[in-house]
Amino acid sequence: MSEIPKKSKPISVRRYRIGDYAHYMGVGRDFLKHYEKCGLLSADHHDNGYRHFGFEQSSLILECMRLRNCGYTVREMGGMLRDLSGVEVRQSLHEAREALEKRIKHTQAIAAEIERLEEWFDIRQSQPEDWEVTSAEGRYYLPHANGSQFLEDERIYEILPQWLDWLSVVKSSLKFNAPDQAGNGFSYQWGLSVEASKAERCGIPINGAVQFIPPEKVFVYHFGGLGRLKVLERLANGTHPLFEVLQSLNLRITGDCFMDIFMTANRKAGGEGYGVFRIPVEPKASPDAKSIGEMKCVI
């Protein structure tokens, strides 16, 4: 007669108060509460207000943390853990890797732009205003607002979020027409601008609302420091110092002008503004006019 096998005793799984469990798992209490609220973890709630988590969920927490590091949201994790097959998870991981690589590319581009700004800012400490005449590559300009209201062109707002996501590779830009000698004809518009090569490299979208500024010879006026934000009045009446420099160089403005803002600070004390003017120019016809190639180039 065969011996009746003994029933094995169920394994007793220890349960921990939330603070202890968070400590043993290397996470915060809020982490556990959030993942419980989203249905990924479960806890025993007691009358005294304490909640306890079972040891058996530790492997699930590790899996959640792995998925989090791969870029998944808590909402996405539920489907990954409960519903997808191994083949489907493999495809999802491939898509997650592509998304991470895209974010890395974005972060690296922003970091490189910040490094350029730091170098430029260091020069502004000893030379708050300076100028150069140089050949500029083509740029894209996305109009956004006039002096008092946003522009009503839905094509702008189809791509605006992507452009804003690339600040500070993308610059906040004032587009303006220089006034004539009598101070007439000044108009301006705010928008965003970016070099064509950076737009292509970063995948910044272009549509019919975007204006292309072709490569051209430009007068670049660097500025930085206190009070540099209040420029519209001086541009409108032609008294901004950049016009004096243009006059001394015997240069004529040939098209739309731009002011790119790199950064602002100290707004309580009148404001500090840092950036450049980009003015398309050509020499005026004059026997003693300087050749653009002989002009000062500081950066």
Side-chain angles (χ1 to χ4, degrees), residues 137-202:
E137 71 166 284
R139 300 175 67 92
Y140 290 109
Y141 171 73
L142 177 66
H144 186 214
N146 60 25
S148 61
Q149 61 186 10
F150 298 117
L151 301 176
E152 295 186 4
D153 183 343
E154 283 305 313
R155 297 176 302 174
I156 296 172
Y157 306 102
E158 290 173 359
I159 61 175
L160 180 63
Q162 293 96 315
W163 279 63
L164 294 175
D165 188 50
W166 281 101
L167 291 166
S168 32
V169 173
V170 169
K171 303 296 188 296
S172 174
S173 294
L174 175 76
K175 176 184 176 183
F176 64 96
N177 296 321
D180 58 25
Q181 292 182 347
N184 300 317
F186 177 75
S187 62
Y188 67 94
Q189 180 186 77
W190 283 101
L192 302 168
S193 68
V194 63
E195 293 96 327
S197 60
K198 291 181 180 178
E200 180 178 353
R201 187 163 60 250
C202 297

Side-chain angles (χ1 to χ4, degrees), residues 227-243:
R228 298 307 195 275
L229 293 178
K230 299 178 180 179
V231 298
L232 287 176
E233 183 177 347
R234 290 189 296 169
L235 291 175
N237 59 30
T239 60
H240 193 282
L242 70 86
F243 295 118

Side-chain angles (χ1 to χ4, degrees), residues 81-128:
L81 295 169
R82 289 190 295 260
D83 304 325
L84 299 188
S85 67
V87 173
E88 291 170 324
V89 169
R90 166 65 177 81
Q91 178 59 33
S92 180
L93 288 172
H94 173 73
E95 295 169 0
R97 177 176 61 81
E98 290 185 329
L100 283 171
E101 290 174 347
K102 185 177 180 179
R103 287 204 296 273
I104 291 170
K105 177 181 176 182
H106 179 273
T107 302
Q108 289 176 334
I110 298 296
E113 200 67 28
I114 292 174
E115 183 178 14
R116 282 189 285 270
L117 176 58
E118 288 178 311
E119 295 172 354
W120 181 91
F121 183 83
D122 290 342
I123 296 173
R124 298 285 74 76
Q125 301 309 291
S126 59
Q127 295 174 297

